[in-house]
Amino acid sequence: MTSDQIDLVQSSFAKVVPIADAAAELFYGRLFEIAPEVKPLFRNDMREQGRKLMTTLGVVVGSLKNLDAVLPAAKALAVKHVGYGVTAAHYEPVGAALIWTLEKGLGEDFTLEARSAWISTYGALSGVMIAEAYGKEAAA
């Protein structure tokens, strides 16, 4: 991730914050549409789950300029998700649902450059998380 990509991710996420509840609803709706096999993994209140998602995204996005500060928590979260039944293959539809949500939620503000920055950022972070939870071979 470049400094410019981090700036794009952070500035675009700032526009998501005011629509966080709607964005979370869009995200999970899309995730369950493209990966229905993950729906049974979510047993709790989806509104609360959406708030947790947006809070976690906010912390990660806010820490991108000091990624070393957030990586231990991201790695721990990845390992915790294994216990919920999450597999390495689930990271792909999560990323796709995230990008789709940003496109829908931000409209014209989600430029090609912002899209590319988010894809790069998600790829880097999910790669670290997959490697931590499932081994480096799974992240390749």
Side-chain angles (χ1 to χ4, degrees):
M1 291 176 294
T2 68
S3 180
D4 287 344
Q5 287 175 319
I6 291 170
D7 289 343
L8 280 169
V9 168
Q10 290 179 333
S11 64
S12 60
F13 188 75
K15 296 174 185 174
V16 172
V17 172
I19 59 164
D21 288 342
E25 190 175 324
L26 282 171
F27 171 81
Y28 284 111
R30 181 64 174 169
L31 179 61
F32 297 155
E33 181 182 321
I34 63 175
E37 69 276 9
V38 304
K39 191 170 186 176
L41 302 178
F42 295 89
R43 298 181 190 101
N44 297 324
D45 175 35
M46 289 309 297
R47 278 196 161 159
E48 181 59 28
Q49 181 66 38
R51 287 186 193 105
K52 288 179 183 179
L53 169 71
M54 298 310 290
T55 298
T56 301
L57 273 174
V59 169
V60 170
V61 167
S63 301
L64 288 176
K65 291 186 179 177
N66 185 16
L67 202 53
D68 289 338
V70 76
L71 281 181
K75 290 177 178 180
L77 186 62
V79 171
K80 185 177 181 181
H81 277 81
V82 172
Y84 299 142
V86 173
T87 68
H90 292 144
Y91 282 79
E92 184 179 337
V94 166
L98 175 62
I99 298 303
W100 181 90
T101 299
L102 292 164
E103 288 172 346
K104 295 298 177 196
L106 296 175
E108 291 179 5
D109 286 339
F110 196 60
T111 64
L112 288 175
E113 294 82 8
R115 184 180 200 285
S116 177
W118 273 96
I119 290 170
S120 177
T121 301
Y122 181 79
L125 189 60
S126 65
V128 167
M129 293 174 75
I130 291 168
E132 182 70 19
Y134 308 100
K136 292 183 184 195
E137 303 81 29

